[in-house]
Amino acid sequence: MILFKLAWRNLWRSKRRTWITISSVLFAVLLALFLESMDRGSQEVMVQNVVRFSTGYAQLQDTLYFDESHIDNAMLCDDDCMEKLLEDFPNLAYTVPRLESVALAAGDEKTRVGFITGIHYESENRFNNIGERMREGHFFTGADDEVVIGTGLARSLDLKVGDSMVVFGQGFQGAMAAGKFVVAGLVQHPVPDLNERIVFMPLHQAQWLFDAFDRVNHLKLVPQRLRHHQRLVDAINAHPDYEAFKAFTWEELQPELVQTIEFDQAGTLVFLLILYVVIGFGIFGTVLTMTLEREKEFGVLISLGMQRRKLAQVIFTETLIMNFLGVLFGLLLSIPVLLYFYYNPIPLGEGMEDMMAEYGMEAVLRFSLDPQFFYQQAIIVFCISMVIVAYPVARVLRLDVLKAARK
Amino acid sequence: MPVIETQDLFKIYNEETVPVYAVNNISIQFDTKEFTCVIGPSGSGKTTLLNLIGGLDSPSKGTINVAGQRIDTMSESERIRFRLEHIGFVFQHYNLIPVLTAYENAAFIMQLQGRPEEETRERVTGLLEQVGLGNRLHARPSELSGGEQQRVAVVRALASKPDFILADEPTANLDTKAAFNLLDMMKQLNEDEGITFLFSTHDQRVIDRASRVVTLVDGALHSDERR
């Protein structure tokens, strides 16, 4: 108790200096959280945009499909199979089936390579709100021959809503895939390349076209909690009933995206490191001053019979209290700040709006409120501060008592 | 019965180049209840001798027995523990802990020893009242005069009932009245509590009240006068 009392009172010996140190830690936590939140926020938006319109957060495929992504390796999974998945894995919220293949898509005069995609409109729309991207016409009404195509493809083929379109290609195991369809709507796909090629049609229609009944290339798996996708994938891969399939996370399916994020994180890390160094030296300066100006007192205390380790405990406790208060106030202050930016993202300026819109993104810097980085940053700043305390502790452990007491 | 005994004690600096004998072959005993002054000109080795006896420094040669234990062979940690349990210190500059009150300063050693709170409170409060500081228990050192601070320092040294008290120039920073008050108080405690006092001093006021005066010259024992 006497040691804690001594530490606490020592802290308030120089109130201004203590508050400056606490403020240094506070701003370190606040700035680190601000940077991290902005970085994670942009990454989350990027992942959402890319993942939602391509691989999904997790995906189930035939075991052969990953190495050879061809319709011949499409998995056999009908409605019963999808229902069983939902029963077997409570962590699975719903599935989004897709049957995809390339085929020639032709209008009256022009032909392009189309990316034919059979979808369950309800689950697809639930997953990525594709319905909101309709620019003309409508999604499927129930008629067998309806397709919805990308606005880019429509431009290339000079097609309008109500026009006919022919699809010609190869189906399951070499079967011929040919059909004539009516363009029911035009959709602005957020991925520019796909916008030039996408042809959506009802899943059963695609299965008929490609002669791949009850087959899908893959099922997008949407977990109850998106961040638990790895857990879901592990559970499916470990289940004996699904040996013919293999589940993947989006990280496995999108290594380029993972690399982009890692590169982005590396940039943020450099900023954070600079911040940590600046703040670290600030705290070190205070701790150094506090140590040097009290060396005589340390010498006296050891002379009186206070063990060096107890004295080190006092210094450690002083730094601990300062850092704890700094981290605590930093966290408390960062919550309203980040909440504000979470609900009011920073606009990137008018010039960026059109460019970003093309990619289906808003021209704003989004912030994340992922609780994980709150405690991560708090722990990092706290650890840095505690590393700094090693200096005064080492100095006390090596202190020449006679020299110090004579100061 | 000797509470302190040194035998062939040397403290030599620069042994391998130009040796300086800060303490030169001192064999001496100090008995319980003695009120002894160690005097001598500056550089005569008074403080070094007290540092050796107090376990703050290690001798180059010789032995030091304090309260029946060889302290010259102890590790640093053992010596710190030994000081806490057996030796009280009074410094020239008082050296109170500025963030603690008079009471907390005086109780500090007993608290470090882990003595029961009730015992500490009774003993420290009693002693502070005895030295005329009963109404200044909660004052910080900065609120006390030099004489009052030194009295708190004496109570701090005395409260845990050490085997002896080492006082290095305790009156050097005090005016005459404060110095006499302090000396009267220490003499009284020496008689009442039976505590051994060992001073290093230049102050004639202290020397006049000592029951024994040990004089050092150039690190060696020059005279030893009992009164």
Side-chain angles (χ1 to χ4, degrees):
Chain A
M1 190 59 195
I2 184 69
L3 300 185
F4 184 81
K5 189 192 281 180
L6 202 54
W8 179 255
R9 299 243 184 108
N10 275 331
L11 270 187
W12 304 110
R13 236 163 147 166
S14 173
K15 288 189 182 74
R16 192 182 300 169
R17 188 173 54 204
T18 300
W19 279 117
I20 287 172
T21 313
I22 290 174
S23 306
S24 306
V25 179
L26 181 157
F27 283 111
V29 171
L30 184 64
L31 281 173
L33 282 173
F34 188 85
L35 274 174
E36 190 73 7
S37 170
M38 198 164 64
D39 193 42
R40 296 275 182 99
S42 344
Q43 284 164 15
E44 279 171 15
V45 171
M46 187 161 57
V47 169
Q48 262 178 27
N49 278 289
V50 176
V51 165
R52 280 182 183 271
F53 287 97
S54 56
T55 56
Y57 287 91
Q59 204 176 91
L60 191 67
Q61 304 174 352
D62 186 274
T63 48
L64 299 175
Y65 190 80
F66 186 77
D67 293 326
E68 207 178 331
S69 304
H70 190 270
I71 196 166
D72 285 352
N73 291 327
M75 60 195 271
L76 197 57
C77 189
D78 56 11
D79 290 347
D80 292 342
C81 159
M82 293 180 215
E83 272 173 34
K84 184 174 175 340
L85 269 166
L86 291 172
E87 282 167 18
D88 289 344
F89 303 101
N91 182 23
L92 178 61
Y94 60 97
T95 59
V96 184
R98 274 192 174 195
L99 180 65
E100 301 164 339
S101 190
V102 287
L104 288 175
D108 280 346
E109 293 178 358
K110 294 177 183 171
T111 303
R112 290 282 181 276
V113 174
F115 188 64
I116 316 300
T117 306
I119 58 170
H120 241 216
Y121 174 67
E122 287 74 20
S123 56
E124 189 78 23
N125 190 46
R126 183 180 173 190
F127 182 60
N128 57 24
N129 297 322
I130 189 73
E132 288 181 6
R133 297 186 175 275
M134 285 298 290
R135 294 294 174 262
E136 241 181 277
H138 52 77
F139 253 97
F140 319 125
T141 54
D144 282 346
D145 59 350
E146 288 177 330
V147 292
V148 171
I149 64 174
T151 51
L153 182 64
R155 260 194 310 273
S156 301
L157 297 179
D158 289 332
L159 289 174
K160 298 186 298 293
V161 172
D163 288 350
S164 293
M165 185 181 124
V166 170
V167 172
F168 186 81
Q170 185 179 300
F172 185 66
Q173 292 183 343
M176 178 182 284
K180 186 178 142 195
F181 301 92
V182 175
V183 177
L186 304 182
V187 67
Q188 174 80 43
H189 198 283
V191 181
D193 185 43
L194 280 177
N195 195 45
E196 296 293 326
R197 299 196 295 146
I198 196 79
V199 177
F200 286 118
M201 63 176 65
L203 180 64
H204 70 272
Q205 187 65 28
Q207 287 170 335
W208 166 82
L209 175 69
F210 293 117
D211 203 18
F213 296 101
D214 294 333
R215 287 183 186 273
V216 292
N217 290 51
H218 53 76
L219 276 178
K220 286 176 187 157
L221 307 168
V222 185
Q224 298 282 6
R225 288 187 173 190
L226 296 179
R227 68 168 63 192
H228 293 164
H229 62 294
Q230 180 72 56
R231 233 180 265 177
L232 176 65
V233 164
D234 292 343
I236 294 175
N237 286 337
H239 200 293
D241 290 356
Y242 298 92
E243 279 175 354
F245 306 139
K246 183 154 172 57
F248 295 91
T249 61
W250 68 264
E251 289 94 336
E252 291 169 303
L253 297 168
Q254 297 265 6
E256 310 83 11
L257 182 57
V258 174
Q259 276 176 351
T260 307
I261 289 171
E262 281 171 352
F263 185 73
D264 191 43
Q265 281 174 337
T268 307
L269 186 65
V270 171
F271 278 114
L272 284 175
L273 284 175
I274 294 169
L275 179 70
Y276 294 150
V277 168
V278 170
I279 296 297
F281 274 102
I283 300 168
F284 181 69
T286 310
V287 171
L288 183 67
T289 313
M290 281 174 76
T291 308
L292 294 179
E293 74 181 15
R294 285 195 292 159
E295 280 202 340
K296 179 186 167 94
E297 200 174 307
F298 295 159
V300 169
L301 288 170
I302 296 169
S303 301
L304 289 174
M306 189 172 192
Q307 290 288 356
R308 286 172 192 268
R309 65 181 161 74
K310 284 199 174 170
L311 194 50
Q313 268 177 40
V314 173
I315 295 164
F316 183 81
T317 309
E318 286 169 19
T319 316
L320 188 76
I321 295 171
M322 269 195 301
N323 295 334
F324 176 77
L325 291 177
V327 168
L328 182 71
F329 293 150
L331 284 176
L332 290 178
L333 189 62
S334 67
I335 291 170
V337 171
L338 295 185
L339 267 174
Y340 174 80
F341 284 110
Y342 182 77
Y343 290 109
N344 303 281
I346 300 171
L348 288 175
E350 283 178 21
M352 296 291 285
E353 276 173 14
D354 293 341
M355 194 182 91
M356 298 291 278
E358 247 185 71
Y359 291 89
M361 298 185 201
E362 286 176 275
V364 290
L365 270 181
R366 287 217 170 267
F367 284 70
S368 169
L369 286 180
D370 186 345
Q372 194 185 2
F373 68 77
F374 275 84
Y375 66 77
Q376 267 177 1
Q377 287 305 321
I379 289 171
I380 290 170
V381 174
F382 189 77
C383 289
I384 290 170
S385 312
M386 294 325 293
V387 167
I388 290 166
V389 82
Y391 173 78
V393 166
R395 206 167 165 102
V396 162
L397 294 177
R398 290 198 315 258
L399 188 73
D400 183 329
V401 178
L402 290 177
K403 268 190 196 164
R406 270 200 295 269
K407 276 185 180 173
Chain B
M1 184 192 163
V3 64
I4 304 163
E5 185 177 8
T6 71
Q7 194 68 46
D8 307 325
L9 193 64
F10 285 87
K11 180 66 185 180
I12 310 165
Y13 295 107
N14 307 326
E15 265 186 281
E16 289 168 9
T17 53
V18 184
V20 176
Y21 288 79
V23 170
N24 190 355
N25 194 18
I26 293 182
S27 298
I28 195 166
Q29 292 183 352
F30 298 98
D31 294 333
T32 48
K33 300 186 185 175
E34 276 189 352
F35 201 75
T36 307
C37 280
V38 178
I39 63 168
S42 289
S44 60
K46 303 182 297 289
T47 302
T48 308
L49 179 64
L50 259 63
N51 285 342
L52 292 170
I53 290 170
L56 295 172
D57 206 352
S58 308
S60 305
K61 277 189 275 184
T63 61
I64 309 165
N65 270 285
V66 176
Q69 292 185 57
R70 282 273 301 268
I71 64 165
D72 55 282
T73 54
M74 286 179 181
S75 68
E76 205 236 0
S77 175
E78 286 169 338
R79 274 189 280 141
I80 292 176
R81 183 78 211 166
F82 185 83
R83 286 201 294 271
L84 181 66
E85 299 293 340
H86 297 277
I87 309 174
F89 286 90
V90 178
F91 304 95
Q92 180 181 344
H93 298 289
Y94 330 129
N95 289 335
L96 297 180
I97 304 164
V99 293
L100 300 183
T101 63
Y103 170 81
E104 288 163 343
N105 263 292
F108 188 68
I109 302 292
M110 289 184 79
Q111 286 178 328
L112 275 187
Q113 288 175 338
R115 300 276 189 92
E117 207 178 314
E118 190 58 34
E119 180 199 341
T120 305
R121 191 180 310 121
E122 208 171 292
R123 169 86 175 148
V124 171
T125 312
L127 282 170
L128 284 172
E129 278 169 2
Q130 201 179 328
V131 301
L133 292 173
N135 58 346
R136 309 302 313 271
L137 298 182
H138 304 295
R140 292 276 177 99
S142 57
E143 297 160 351
L144 297 172
S145 68
E148 286 174 326
Q149 287 188 56
Q150 196 61 303
R151 276 186 275 163
V152 174
V154 172
V155 172
R156 175 176 68 184
L158 195 69
S160 61
K161 296 186 181 167
D163 291 309
F164 65 95
I165 289 177
L166 287 177
D168 188 12
E169 308 266 9
T171 56
N173 288 332
L174 300 180
D175 60 38
T176 304
K177 191 180 169 201
F180 277 133
N181 280 341
L182 184 77
L183 288 168
D184 289 342
M185 182 196 96
M186 290 204 281
K187 189 75 183 160
Q188 190 66 46
L189 291 168
N190 166 250
E191 284 161 13
D192 295 349
E193 302 262 339
I195 301 263
T196 307
F197 278 83
L198 183 57
F199 299 90
S200 83
T201 188
H202 287 105
D203 191 341
Q204 194 57 45
R205 297 167 300 193
V206 182
I207 300 166
D208 290 344
R209 284 163 192 253
S211 59
R212 183 181 173 192
V213 178
V214 172
T215 310
L216 300 184
V217 175
D218 295 334
L221 189 60
H222 181 262
S223 67
D224 186 356
E225 176 198 350
R226 287 175 195 271
R227 294 168 171 175

